[in-house]
Amino acid sequence: MKTVPFALAGMAAALAIATPILARDTARATDLFQFGGASGYAPQGGVIADRSGTVFGTTTLGGTGPCIADAGCGTVYALSAPAAGGGSWVFNKLYDFQGGQDGSFPRSQLTVAPNGTVYGYTADGSPGAVFRLTPPMIAGQPWAFKVLYVFTGKADGNLEAVFSPLIFRHGALYGVASGGASTACGQFGCGSVFKLTPGSGGGAWTLRTVFRFAGGPESGEPNGIVGFNEPGPLYVSTSLGSGAVVEVSPPASPGEWTEQVITRFDRDGGGHSPSNLVLAPDGSLFGLTNTRAGLVFHLTPPAAPGAPWTRAVIATVVDRGYGPASLAVGPAGSLIGAIQGDFDFFAGAVFQLTPPAAGGSWTYAELFNFNRFQDRNPINVVPGRRGNLFGVLGGGDSTNGSLFELTLP
C-alpha cells in the first residue's frame, strides 16, 4: 500500500465564499411515466441513459414476482423516446425478478455497455447476484436475461451494502463488494474490488478478487467505484472511519493490484464519508461528503507522478431535506445532481454546478423544485442525448414514483 499526500489548496477560501444561488425552476419538467402495479414501483436505483437516449432503471417493488403478495420482487425497465416529435415515450418492462437465484428488490443503478447490453445486480436479503440483459435482434421481442454470478458471502464478499453501478471494460465487469476474507474491520471484513470475466464461447463467468482492503490506514468498506478504460486505475470511495478516496491500479506486468490513498477525510471542514464519485474527462474526481448541508469536493490529479492531489470544496448544497443524493457529469462540463427531500416539508430538487470560466468559484443553481409535483424525492438525474436531463422520483403520498425529463433553459 502506498499513501499519496494531498494538498488542501483553496479549501479555506472555498468554504468561506458562499456560492451564488440562481433563480429557481429555470428548467421545465415533464412527467414521462407513472409507475404502479405490474410495471413496478419504488424506483430506488436511479436511471441511466444510453447513446440513443433510451433511459434504463429498476424498481425495488412491483412486477409479477412472488416475493411479497401483491408487491412483486421488482423489475428492470426501459423508456424509449418517441419515434416522431411530440409523441409519447414508450415504456418497456424488460424483466420481472422472481426472488430465486436472480434475486429481488434491486436498488442499484444499471450499467449500459456500448453494444446496448444492460448489467446490474440484486442484493436485498442475499449476498448478491450480477445479471445481464441482452437486447433482442428483432425489435419488440423479449430481452434475454441471464445471471452471471451469484455471490456466496464468504471470501468473495457480498453486495448488500453497495449501491454503486458496475464498470464495463472491454467485455469484463468491475465492482466493489462488502465483507470478504479479511477480519481487520470486524467479522464482516473490509471489502474488495472484483473483476467478472466471461468464459470463452459463452461459458460461465468467473469472479476474481483483484484487491482486498486491509482496514486501518489502508482504508476499507468501499461504497463506490469509477474508472475509464484499461489499463488505467480505478477510483474507490470508502466509508471506514471518516472515509477516503483511493486509487486501485492493475500491475504493469503480471503481479498484484496496488492501492494509493489519494485523500482521507477527518470530519473537518471538508466533511466525511465520501460517496457518489464522478470521474471527469480531464482525470479529476468529484464527489459528495456526508454533512447536513452536503459538500461537493474536487480532487485534482498532480502534474507530476508522486506529487499530492489537491482537494477543495467547490460548493455547499442548500441545507434542506436530506441533502444531495447523487452527482453526475452534466452538459458543458457542469455537474448535476439530485437533492433528497424530507417528504413532509421539501419535495427535493435538481441542482447544477457550472465551472468558472477562469479562476473564481463554481456557480450553483437550483434547476427545479418538486414541491408542486405529484411525486417527490428525486433519486438521481443524468444527461440525455440532446442535453436534456432525465431522472426518477421515489414517490409521493399516494403515488408509486415517476420518470421525468428536465428541459434546460
Side-chain angles (χ1 to χ4, degrees):
M1 188 275 293
K2 181 179 179 182
T3 300
V4 177
F6 65 91
L8 295 178
M11 178 171 285
L15 286 173
I17 299 173
T19 50
I21 299 177
L22 301 184
R24 293 174 180 148
D25 289 3
T26 55
R28 178 172 56 87
T30 303
D31 193 337
L32 299 179
F33 182 80
Q34 288 280 332
F35 289 102
S39 67
Y41 56 96
Q44 299 300 313
V47 296
I48 186 70
D50 69 4
R51 294 176 178 178
S52 70
T54 299
V55 178
F56 295 89
T58 61
T59 66
T60 305
L61 297 171
T64 61
C67 296
I68 302 176
D70 300 322
C73 303
T75 69
V76 182
Y77 64 84
L79 193 74
S80 302
S88 299
W89 284 69
V90 178
F91 181 88
N92 182 16
K93 185 172 61 173
L94 306 184
Y95 186 72
D96 274 312
F97 289 96
Q98 299 300 307
Q101 189 182 58
D102 61 343
S104 59
F105 314 133
R107 296 170 295 157
S108 66
Q109 188 175 337
L110 299 170
T111 298
V112 184
N115 66 356
T117 302
V118 175
Y119 298 92
Y121 57 88
T122 58
D124 197 289
S126 67
V130 177
F131 63 84
R132 178 185 70 195
L133 276 162
T134 306
M137 298 293 292
I138 302 174
Q141 294 297 309
W143 287 54
F145 179 90
K146 182 177 182 179
V147 174
L148 303 182
Y149 183 82
V150 178
F151 281 78
T152 67
K154 298 178 181 178
D156 56 356
N158 66 79
L159 303 177
E160 292 179 87
V162 178
F163 300 95
S164 174
L166 300 167
I167 295 174
F168 181 86
R169 280 184 168 186
H170 298 294
L173 295 170
Y174 293 82
V176 291
S178 301
S182 172
T183 58
C185 302
Q187 61 176 320
F188 299 111
C190 298
S192 61
V193 177
F194 65 83
K195 178 181 181 179
L196 268 173
T197 307
S200 59
W205 287 57
T206 303
L207 183 138
R208 177 192 168 207
T209 298
V210 298
F211 183 81
R212 294 189 187 279
F213 291 96
E218 295 186 1
S219 71
E221 299 176 6
N223 60 58
I225 183 170
V226 294
F228 287 146
N229 289 333
E230 293 180 297
L234 301 170
Y235 298 95
V236 179
S237 53
T238 66
S239 303
L240 184 66
S242 294
V245 175
V246 303
E247 178 183 280
V248 180
S249 301
S253 57
E256 300 297 323
W257 286 55
T258 57
E259 175 196 40
Q260 293 183 340
V261 179
I262 293 174
T263 182
R264 289 193 181 90
F265 293 82
D266 53 11
R267 297 181 183 268
D268 58 8
H272 62 94
S273 303
S275 64
N276 286 266
L277 284 185
V278 171
L279 182 57
D282 65 358
S284 63
L285 291 164
F286 297 90
L288 302 174
T289 60
N290 187 5
T291 65
R292 173 60 181 174
L295 302 177
V296 182
F297 65 86
H298 183 195
L299 285 166
T300 305
W309 287 61
T310 300
R311 189 177 93 205
V313 171
I314 62 171
T316 301
V317 178
V318 289
D319 186 10
R320 289 180 295 166
Y322 292 111
S326 73
L327 197 66
V329 174
S334 67
L335 297 171
I336 51 175
I339 304 171
Q340 185 75 30
D342 56 19
F343 204 83
D344 291 324
F345 303 105
F346 175 59
V350 170
F351 68 90
Q352 183 175 37
L353 285 166
T354 304
S361 5
W362 288 63
T363 302
Y364 176 91
E366 186 177 289
L367 296 178
F368 192 82
N369 184 309
F370 290 96
N371 279 345
R372 294 184 299 278
F373 232 64
Q374 182 180 13
D375 285 296
R376 55 183 65 214
N377 292 332
I379 306 303
N380 79 327
V381 61
V382 296
R385 187 176 55 148
R386 294 183 175 89
N388 288 355
L389 309 181
F390 295 91
V392 64
L393 296 165
D397 294 325
S398 58
T399 57
N400 298 309
S402 61
L403 288 156
F404 66 87
E405 178 184 17
L406 283 183
T407 304
L408 300 180

